[in-house]
Amino acid sequence: MAPHKQSSSGGSHPVGFGPGGKANGFYQPSSAVAAAKKPNMQLIQDDHELFLQAFEKPTQIYRFLRTRNLIAPIFLHRTLTYMCHRNSRNNTKRKTFKVDNLLFKVEKMRGEQETHSLASNLQLTFTGFFHKAGKPSQDCENEQNSVSLEVLLIKVCHKKRKDVSCPVKQVPTGKKQVPLNPDMSAGVQAKPGSFPSLLVPSSEFEPSNSHMVKSYSLLLRVLLPGCTQTQINGLTNGENHHNFTEEVVNRKRRSSSLREEGETTFVAQMTVFDKNRRLQLLDGEYEVSMQEMEECPISKKRATWETILDGKRLPPFESFSQGPTLQFTLRWTSDSSDRSTAPVAKPLATRNSETNQDTRPCTLRSTQTLALKESVNTDMQTRREQISAEPRQKLRILYQFQYNNNTRQQTEARDDLHCPWCTLNCRKLYSLLKHLKLSHSRFIFNYVPHPKGAKIEVSINECYDGSYAGNPQDIHSQPGFAFSRNGPVKRTAVTHVLVCRPKRTKPSLSEFLELEDGERELQRTYISGHNRLYFHSDSCLPLRPQEMEVDSEDERDPDWLKEKTVKQIEDFTDVNEGEKEIMKLWNLHAMKHGFIADNQMNEACLLFAQNHGAYIVKQNLCRNFLLHLISMHDFNLVSTLTIDQAMAQLRLIRSQATQRERDRQEDEEEEEEEDWETAVESQPELDPDPDPDPSEYKPYSEETSIPFVLPP
Amino acid sequence: MEETAAADPTPGIDAAPPTPRPPPSPFAPSRSLLEWRRRVKSEYMRLRQLKRLKKAEEVKTLFMSNRQKIEQQTNLLNTEWSKLRIQSIPLSTFSGSMPGKKMCTVEFGFPGFKSQAITMRPLSTVAGIPFMYSWSPLQHNFMVEDETFLHNIPYMGDEVLEQDEAFLEELIDNYDGVHGDREGGFISDEIFKELVEALSQYSDHEEEEEEEAVVAAEAAGKKEDERVMRRSSKIPNDKIFTAIASMFPYKGTTEELKEKYKDLLEPPDPVKLPPLCTPNLDGPFAKSVQREQSLHSFHTLFCRRCFKYDCFLHPFHATPNVYKRKSKEIRMETDPCGVDCFLLQGPKNLWIRICYGHRGLGDDGGSSVPPEGKEGDSDHETTSSSEGNSRCQTPTKLRSGDDDGEQQACCVVQWSGAEESLFRVLHGTYFNNFCSIARLIGTKNCKEVYEFAVKEVLIHRVPLEDGGISPQKKKRKHRLWAKIQLKKDSSSNQVYNYQPCDHPDHPCDSSCPCVMTQNFCEKFCQCEHECQNRFPGCRCKTQCNTKQCPCYLAVRECDPDLCMTCGAADHWDSKVVSCKNCSIQRGLKKHLLLAPSDVAGWGTFIKEPVQKNEFISEYCGELISQDEADRRGRIYDKYMSSFLFNLNNDFVVDATRKGNKIRFANHSVNPNCYAKVVMVNGDHRIGIFAKRAILQGEELFFDYRYSQADALKYVGIEREVDVT
């Protein structure tokens, strides 16, 4: 009997699969079990080893892919048919859509903003600056128990054509002394009026003429004199703590090497109006986590998903218990005394509520730096509970991990429908199962109905071969090309039909039940065809998609063969050069066209004369060509008609060539033309020399121009 | 020192056969011989060094030109692709996608040294691929001769195992020798000549040898007076040859070497060709030669089966003068070609009489010239079966009375050697059609040609038509079916290579090689067209892919010169032919792709889906003899990889060195393809066909055992699978 362990963790956070922490998140269940009963520690250790062996690698891979998909999604889950409920948009408006609607909408929105932004001033009342990891401010015996705070309004303007980056304007709004680590536990503080307060006039938020302001944000800068540096290490999570860019190691080095004067600057930035001119700060009490100022903060634009692997990310709210924070109250007032009229803005609640779940990329990218306390009464804890209570069905899902040849199991329970690997909220059991099956094929998931909800058996898919079913061109030459960091790239176009309208069955949970052996055969892929990378047979280089259509290596006359036949003929010692030349020409011609039948030969010879006639005339090979034709005739391959036609073609080419030659000469010396012609005419009969003169062969005059002497 | 050195050369001298002229005095020359031997050695080494440097230089330039070629090709492709808006292939100089972003720094511990930084250039990963020996692409079989010399000792891995050593010894025994064995003593004609020339420099400075040298030179000079020797006035000292002979004993004796040197000294005159060679007819030195001589090269080198000169497949080419002309199409010009045509000159009836008088056909009416192209078997060769320059040996002197007049005309018109030769050549084809001959010669008119013909006395009678041909087609058809059936029954897997038969005197009976090897006579055979052993082709109007088609039944592809109805002879330019039984000859192969196999090594994949029995590709390679295949197979067996494919009893196709993409198809006991040896226009060729419908992108397999009972022994991986 395999030991059956069940460790249920009823917590709202999924044990082991939580968004934070290291990849091998399975540590907790077994340790919990170990603490419970099992006497044999060694056995447990071994079991744990086996468990890790089976599930660690794939889990790491899927964790990695999850993060990558968040940063640079290849597809959106909401576009999948089985996730259609995630798609909040519907197309009903499309029918009535008109282009003018867009303009109308924008105009309306602008009008709205104008009204409220003009109306009110921003009033900030600072409660105190809190620092020292979790400790009460007892050791704060030193002279100052206040820090100096500077508030700047930062206006990020629209980029003009010539600007390299967005122009930024900093408007100082004032400096205040804020108490350091005031004792809040005492509860009863001095009157609100005693706290330092700052007013940002509404005029600041009006659009200025020179630059269109894109967004406004408040920069809070706290100057802490003579503070011990070492304690701040790693806890200085400020504005970027939602980005995955923090490198603790990096920071440690920096902060330790930091300024010796003993002054530390902490900064925090809060967006007042975002790019779309939406108000982000509502009335309320705020606690801002401050970040230690660094010389060169990591640019957000270069944020990459790799750093998560070696960086450690703090859970969102931990920083508030430890890190330096600044507490203040924010109010929008129409005048300095009135505190009732906060500007009406778009609700932030929907966005903020999901911040805690870490599910949507948009949330992750937001530079929201603050934890908002809606009211003084609302506690973090209660808020969280509200969120976790959100799923409609109260389902319990038991994941039963089977390993070591299915001899061992571990069970984990979850109360939500988030994917344990992606933390994707699937919201429906069917969607979850479908997602698991399709996105995590390194495992086999079998669904077993369970009275409380569902049981999912998870085992390692031994048949998973990692075979690549995508575009084969993506595998080679440019690793990571599809995920280029330098902006969009043009991909090689490949038409790739994956599935041709498969019959879509009604979604039902029964499809996830364990299959009979016979049915596995039916699970063949829809994709057939070229799902692999091909290579050129001559160079072993990968075949690029545009080279697929033509077979570049099927030529009848590869270069080496042409060279070979030329060389072979050249090697004959008892064949004269004219014959060789014609034979080579003919062989190349025959190889190119691949003649196979006797009855092709007439055409072949004519084609030869047509294609190579000019060369034959130029190289003075006409008689050899005639010999070749006669020889072909002797072999019964061509008719005399073909010989006549081919030679006529040659004569034509020759006469054209002579004509051209003559034209050129005419241009040069027109007077000499007659002389030349008579010379040609008289040549045959006047030439008494029996020795053939080489020059005689060069100017081939047309035979028509040669007169002959009549016999007496 | 002297003693040991003297003892050394003696074996060398012993090895050389006794020279006809031994060194004059045994004592003094032995010292000078030693001296010479030393010189020979040093000079030889120097020359070889030079050669080596030259060769290295050549390789270098070749390499550079190759690099350039690659670059050009890449640029060409890139420009083409950039037009198609496809991303280009990054050249090796490409700095990567993010230039200058990452820097590599080398830091030194010492303050004196600056740290060095350079931009990092990431190289893209290259997909790992299976191992592949280089090979040359080919779309048609290529016959190679047996290799009696082992070109290289096969590499069996770094560790030479004992059984390997034994294997190698046995292997080397199979061959006459190993290439490059005589590395040290190798001497080519070129080096030899240079060596002698270099050594003769020494002899000039040596006084005591001077006399002798002069004497030798004089003697040689007298002997070879008629030979042209422009470059050196005298033959170098005998000493030199003696020394060389002792150094390179296998090269021959002193005398032989001397003769050889003299031969080599012959000036490499571009004009002067070997005696057998006819001068270029287009060149300035064209001579007046007989027809056979002019056409000799064309006749002997042309392969009537491949339509190429000196083809790659057939070592033996039949010369055409034993062929019968089947086309009876000698056209006679009935109309004069111009006002000066020879037909209009002189009495017309005279000409007619010349031509046809002896046949009694002469009508004396100019209009009734015999019907065109109906002269019957007009080839001259049929009348005189003797080979050689038959045309000139059978002069038929008809008229002697007119000689004087003709002579006069000939005196006026000068005929060059080329023209004369050309006339004889053309006359063998065009006979008395002087107008055509004149037009083809180009530089003479028909009257001059006619007159020359008269002078040459080459006006032929046109031979009589042969007796009527009795068609026996009905009988033959029955016999054909019987024959195919007979072959099938008695097949016993003995398929012999086809060789055109040539037995002029008797018909194809049991002594005919075609009949003996159970092959049909083909159009290349020298036998009668009506030969009983000839395959008549099919008259199908369908696709010729069932056993209804006699060609298909006889495992032959349709012959485009025989099967005129099925479409094998049509649509040369298109890939769509109605006849499905002519794919190999037309090369209608499927587009194949190469990729790492799912089974082992490389594999062949098909681009588009094919139906059952469709032709996929021809299995091409080197055509080697069975003996050669045995020798090669032994090595391939050791390598556990073989591309040998039995073609017939005489030949094997080996795709190791040359082949096409189908060579990468792997073996399977449950294959999707099958191989079939088909007779294609006289050649056996291997076709790979689809055994079942194959989807696109599928890997191709066929059963290697089809042709070779022991093929499996070459297939390492699969064999092991089979055993387990």
Side-chain angles (χ1 to χ4, degrees), chain A residues 477 490 530 535 544 551 553 560 576 579 586-587 598 621 624 628 634 636 639 644 651 703 708, chain B residues 85 87 124 137 278 280 282 297 299 304 307 309 324 329 430 439 442 445 561 591 594 607 661:
Chain A
S477 69
K490 191 179 167 84
H530 306 288
F535 290 83
R544 295 159 66 83
D551 194 349
E553 292 114 33
W560 74 269
N576 69 49
E579 290 167 343
W586 171 260
N587 271 12
D598 292 4
L621 296 167
N624 278 299
H628 161 73
D634 288 349
N636 272 330
S639 64
D644 292 342
R651 271 198 296 274
E703 65 275 22
F708 64 96
Chain B
R85 301 180 58 80
Q87 64 196 53
S124 51
T278 329
N280 186 0
D282 277 312
S297 303
H299 280 174
R304 194 241 168 285
F307 310 115
Y309 290 99
K324 289 195 196 76
E329 36 108 51
Y430 283 85
R439 199 162 49 234
N445 65 23
D561 293 315
H591 188 164
L594 178 74
K607 168 95 186 351
K661 267 188 254 182

Side-chain angles (χ1 to χ4, degrees), chain B residues 588-623:
Chain B
L588 298 176
K589 59 185 178 304
K590 295 285 175 284
H591 188 164
L592 299 179
L593 296 160
L594 178 74
S597 165
D598 290 339
V599 178
W602 289 97
T604 306
F605 298 81
I606 197 149
K607 168 95 186 351
E608 64 256 50
V610 292
Q611 288 160 14
K612 190 179 171 181
N613 287 332
E614 237 185 299
F615 172 69
I616 289 173
S617 177
E618 183 190 349
Y619 190 92
C620 296
E622 283 181 324
L623 208 60

Side-chain angles (χ1 to χ4, degrees), chain B residues 667-685:
Chain B
H667 166 83
S668 170
V669 285
N670 185 22
N672 50 12
C673 300
Y674 63 92
K676 192 163 78 170
V677 175
V678 187
M679 174 65 94
V680 183
N681 297 337
D683 296 312
H684 280 124
R685 291 164 80 168

